[in-house]
Amino acid sequence: KGGAAGDLLVELAYRPHRLFRRIHEHDLWFYLPIAPWEAVLGAVLEIPTLEKPFRVHVPAGSTSGQTFRLKGRGLPRPDGARGDLLACLRIVTPDVPTEIERQLYLQLSRSSRFNPRRGFG
């Protein structure tokens, strides 16, 4: 409108995503659900990213809360680089196990010497 040239300020807002949560400016975080046997035995899993699925190796003996950093798989930065994607393992179990699953878990509970609460007073 005939005024002096100036700066244009733009503010962006991100809508919530069903899988990913923004944790830092350009870094994303999400829960990666895994089955108990995948945690115990290890697995190669295809996980979602913003662009295309990515294969990650979950080592044998992994635990819930263990986090993997996928460099450059987060949000774009102004300099052209990308933030990181952090995948946090969450061991999940069936809501309603089949009778076979229940029997196998029962067999495991009876034969295993593993005690996750060892060391509690």
Side-chain angles (χ1 to χ4, degrees), residues 38-118:
E38 291 172 324
V40 171
L41 304 173
V44 176
L45 305 176
E46 192 169 271
I47 63 172
T49 70
L50 292 175
E51 294 176 328
K52 61 181 180 178
F54 184 80
R55 294 185 81 127
V56 65
H57 175 75
V58 176
S62 292
T63 60
S64 276
Q66 191 171 339
T67 303
F68 297 91
R69 180 179 297 272
L70 285 69
K71 292 215 174 268
R73 303 285 176 171
L75 294 172
R77 296 181 180 184
D79 64 3
R82 294 186 75 103
D84 299 335
L85 176 63
L86 286 83
C88 180
L89 297 183
R90 177 183 275 174
I91 299 171
V92 295
T93 58
D95 290 337
V96 181
T98 65
E99 185 56 32
I100 292 172
E101 289 170 327
R102 210 176 91 49
Q103 290 301 320
L104 289 169
Y105 277 115
L106 185 59
Q107 181 181 350
L108 178 62
S109 74
R110 290 179 178 157
S111 62
S112 178
R113 294 182 299 174
F114 175 66
N115 179 358
R117 292 165 299 283
R118 183 183 59 228

Side-chain angles (χ1 to χ4, degrees), residues 4-25:
D7 294 337
L8 173 65
L9 300 176
V10 178
E11 186 175 313
L12 297 176
Y14 292 99
R15 289 187 313 199
H17 191 277
R18 68 180 187 86
L19 293 178
F20 305 117
R21 190 172 80 208
R22 193 168 159 224
I23 55 170
H24 295 294
E25 269 191 48

